Amino acid sequence: MNFSFDAMSYPYASRRSVVYGRRGMVATANPLAAQAGLEILKQGGNAIDAMIATAAALTVVEPTANGIGSDAFALVWVKDKLYGLNASGPAPAAMTLEALQSRGFKEMPVLGMLPVTVPGTPAGWAALSKRFGRLPLSQVVEPAARYAEEGYVLQPAVGSGWPRNLAKFSKAIETDKSVQGWFDTFLPGGKCLGPGDVLVLKDHAATLREIGATNAESFYRGALADKIDAYFRQFDSFLRKEDLAAYQPQWVEPISVNYKGYDVCEIPPNGHGISTLMALNILKELDLGPVDSFRSTHLQLEAMKLAFADARRYVADPDYMTVPVERLLSDEYAAQRRACIGDRARLPEPGDPIRGGTVYMCAADGEGNMISYIQSNYMGFGSGVVVPGTGIAMQNRGNNFSMDPESDNCVAPGKRPYHTIIPGFLCKDGKPVGPFGVMGGFMQPQGHLQVVLNTVEYGMNPQAALDHPRWQWVGGNTIEVEQSFPNDLAQALQRAGHDIVVKADPIGFGRGEIIWRNDEGVLCGASEPRSDGQVAVW
């Protein structure tokens, strides 16, 4: 691929430009984490080593979005092949529908220990390091451990997350003392932190070093597993060391659709990257018209709504899905769903496929290796559970299970929940173009769709593709848009039945990064203007 976009064309408000490099590049939403990855590249590591270093650092410097107790997914390009890694964890053996019902729950709990599934991130780091890394894992996590041990300064977007999380966990602790660890860890001296404050996480540093020294064995079958087990037993919750010991991440075959000559690649379910692919499949036979036109935006919205409706109905742990991925991505089913789109907004309903659907980072090196990686505790800090003496902040991914016995995604022991975090990767003619991603819960596939169309359909450079004003479907016919979204377009969509809500805070519209590589090996990177993002280049 050669860069065909105008690198100096910035039609949207931004203080950023694309970044070029050749020897290596790391892009993520936090400059400290990006620098950790660049440090490992300069120590002789490859893109995969750099990505693990960045991911480990993000558990330290961006705890508002992820932690050591996260889940993760990756798409890795090495030696002319794209590999997928699913490092999301299953429900513990004791997490049954009946057990939750017996505790009075009719919907999955949100905070505390009960929604915690087996964390996959440490095992994911170890698996990536073992298969593709060049440096020892202990060396790769050291920059992150150093940040934690010596203390680091909270960046603006990260620091702004403390007050709202303090309010949330202050309410939760009234009935659930298992979230006390959040206060002990993230409110030093009882102070609510903010941008520019310094946070020291010595327990976190020791845990990172133990994970590095044992290639994550301690977390799943050693001393760290014992500490996790003891804390969950203290509160009579589900997770046990036997659940941790049984866990292994899975190498998976990426799924893709071809859109205008580009292969758009995602991780297969239990993630919902398939919803981006279903929407692209619906759109690929349509004339979208100019960028920011009513036709283009309306068609994108309706296609995304249909894809989401299918994903919420059919996507689950693949061992439990009643509809195969191949059917959801078939041209026949795309045509069936395409026929549902009219000139006005409509409430989406799942189709019938049987008849006839966080922190992100990417890195690249001078050898051609590239990686798209994402990890998350789900809702901000996650469950609020921090295992004492370890700094391990646990996700609350079990909240994405259903408690409907008829659902493919109904909670069950050993089953992985519907997952919102998705890395993306673009290829053309069997060659890598590069990794991309937009983090942010259910915004992620919508962000993927908008970024792909901005670059492939409309020829924007990576930074312009991220700067472009975003929309987000949030349910019914309600569409949230950024303040920079064109007013005349918003009014046209409103007349067509879309309920347009202008949001003052851009944080809900996702945070993304992109790295493209051309045929000469030149790297072109972009970072998110809605966050503290940085492209670190060598």
Side-chain angles (χ1 to χ4, degrees):
M1 175 196 179
N2 290 309
F3 300 140
S4 58
F5 49 75
D6 182 354
M8 299 306 294
S9 175
Y10 293 98
Y12 309 107
S14 178
R15 294 171 295 166
R16 305 179 184 217
S17 59
V18 291
V19 176
Y20 289 111
R22 191 169 188 181
R23 299 183 69 180
M25 185 175 285
V26 180
T28 193
N30 190 290
L32 294 172
Q35 291 299 318
L38 189 63
E39 179 180 335
I40 290 301
L41 279 175
K42 291 184 175 181
Q43 289 179 15
N46 60 18
I48 292 80
D49 295 314
M51 197 79 286
I52 299 168
T54 304
L58 281 166
T59 69
V60 179
V61 302
E62 198 166 335
T64 48
N66 75 131
I68 297 173
S70 289
D71 281 348
F73 296 88
L75 290 167
V76 190
W77 183 277
V78 175
K79 295 180 179 178
D80 299 324
K81 180 174 172 58
L82 187 65
Y83 300 84
L85 179 68
N86 182 329
S88 66
M95 188 185 283
T96 65
L97 179 62
E98 295 74 20
L100 288 158
Q101 290 172 334
S102 70
R103 299 184 188 218
F105 291 98
K106 295 181 180 179
E107 295 182 346
M108 290 298 299
V110 177
L111 300 177
M113 290 184 169
L114 294 180
V116 177
T117 55
V118 177
T121 285
W125 296 346
L128 287 166
S129 179
K130 180 179 179 180
R131 186 165 189 177
F132 297 122
R134 181 174 296 155
L135 302 179
L137 186 58
S138 57
Q139 181 178 348
V140 169
V141 301
E142 183 55 31
R146 193 168 62 247
Y147 282 146
E149 182 175 59
E150 298 175 358
Y152 67 96
V153 180
L154 271 62
Q155 301 301 311
V158 176
S160 67
W162 252 259
R164 61 177 174 268
N165 279 283
L166 175 58
K168 176 174 67 175
F169 291 121
S170 293
K171 183 177 181 180
I173 200 170
E174 294 175 3
T175 57
D176 188 349
K177 301 304 181 185
S178 71
V179 301
Q180 179 62 47
W182 184 86
F183 293 86
D184 297 340
T185 304
F186 297 114
L187 258 66
K191 177 186 177 182
C192 182
L193 301 181
D197 285 332
V198 175
L199 181 61
V200 177
L201 299 169
K202 291 187 181 296
D203 291 341
H204 197 127
T207 293
L208 285 173
R209 288 179 174 131
E210 186 163 351
I211 288 170
T214 66
N215 289 313
E217 278 296 301
S218 179
F219 189 96
Y220 296 94
R221 288 163 279 275
L224 291 174
D226 289 338
K227 291 179 181 180
I228 295 169
D229 179 84
Y231 195 48
F232 275 72
R233 286 181 185 275
Q234 181 181 331
F235 288 90
D236 189 29
S237 194
F238 299 135
L239 187 64
R240 296 288 183 269
K241 60 183 179 182
E242 290 81 7
D243 300 306
L244 297 167
Y247 180 70
Q248 292 290 343
Q250 294 183 348
W251 292 100
V252 295
E253 191 67 29
I255 56 176
S256 66
V257 299
N258 189 275
Y259 185 86
K260 305 293 178 71
Y262 288 83
D263 292 315
V264 184
C265 306
E266 301 276 358
I267 290 283
N270 53 316
H272 66 174
I274 190 174
S275 54
T276 300
L277 303 185
M278 288 190 286
L280 287 169
N281 247 5
I282 293 170
L283 294 171
K284 69 182 182 181
E285 299 297 331
L286 297 173
D287 177 10
L288 299 187
V291 65
D292 292 335
S293 65
F294 166 78
R295 176 176 174 80
S296 176
T297 309
H298 172 72
L299 290 174
Q300 291 177 49
L301 287 167
E302 294 301 287
M304 193 72 250
K305 287 158 63 177
L306 291 168
F308 250 134
D310 283 339
R312 294 293 285 170
R313 170 63 182 84
Y314 298 114
V315 169
D317 185 318
D319 292 339
Y320 294 82
M321 285 176 61
T322 56
V323 176
V325 167
E326 294 77 16
R327 182 59 189 163
L328 290 169
L329 293 180
S330 69
D331 288 341
E332 294 81 6
Y333 188 55
Q336 178 185 326
R337 299 302 267 160
R338 192 178 302 123
C340 297
I341 299 178
D343 293 332
R344 294 189 58 79
R346 58 173 287 172
L347 296 174
E349 295 290 340
D352 183 3
I354 302 302
R355 187 191 72 181
T358 312
V359 287
Y360 175 77
M361 63 213 84
C362 47
D365 60 34
E367 301 171 18
N369 302 309
M370 307 180 85
I371 179 169
S372 181
Y373 180 95
I374 195 161
Q375 69 187 23
S376 172
N377 267 359
Y378 189 34
M379 295 180 180
F381 281 92
S383 63
V385 175
V386 182
V387 180
T390 70
I392 298 171
M394 291 290 198
Q395 36 84 330
N396 58 337
R397 278 293 165 186
N399 176 255
N400 269 341
F401 277 124
S402 168
M403 289 184 66
D404 177 2
E406 300 301 315
S407 170
D408 290 357
N409 188 43
C410 184
V411 61
K415 184 177 185 177
R416 291 170 295 177
Y418 179 107
H419 231 288
T420 60
I421 61 173
I422 52 174
F425 204 96
L426 203 64
C427 298
K428 184 175 176 61
D429 300 327
K431 297 180 180 180
V433 176
F436 70 93
V438 178
M439 65 197 95
F442 288 89
M443 177 63 200
Q444 293 185 49
Q446 304 184 66
H448 279 214
L449 177 69
Q450 291 170 70
V451 164
V452 168
L453 292 176
N454 288 344
T455 54
V456 174
E457 181 77 29
Y458 295 115
M460 297 182 196
N461 69 60
Q463 190 60 56
L466 292 176
D467 294 343
H468 183 269
R470 291 185 188 141
W471 50 259
Q472 178 179 195
W473 175 62
V474 294
N477 281 327
T478 302
I479 308 297
E480 294 180 349
V481 300
E482 295 185 280
Q483 286 189 313
S484 56
F485 194 84
N487 185 56
D488 59 339
L489 176 55
Q491 291 180 359
L493 293 168
Q494 187 86 35
R495 289 192 294 270
H498 299 282
D499 182 11
I500 303 297
V501 177
V502 180
K503 301 292 286 186
D505 190 348
I507 194 169
F509 293 93
R511 301 173 298 150
E513 279 79 38
I514 302 171
I515 296 176
W516 292 162
R517 182 179 187 272
N518 73 5
D519 292 340
E520 285 72 47
V522 175
L523 302 170
C524 178
S527 61
E528 181 60 68
R530 299 164 184 83
S531 186
D532 306 317
Q534 182 185 68
V535 180
V537 64
W538 188 22

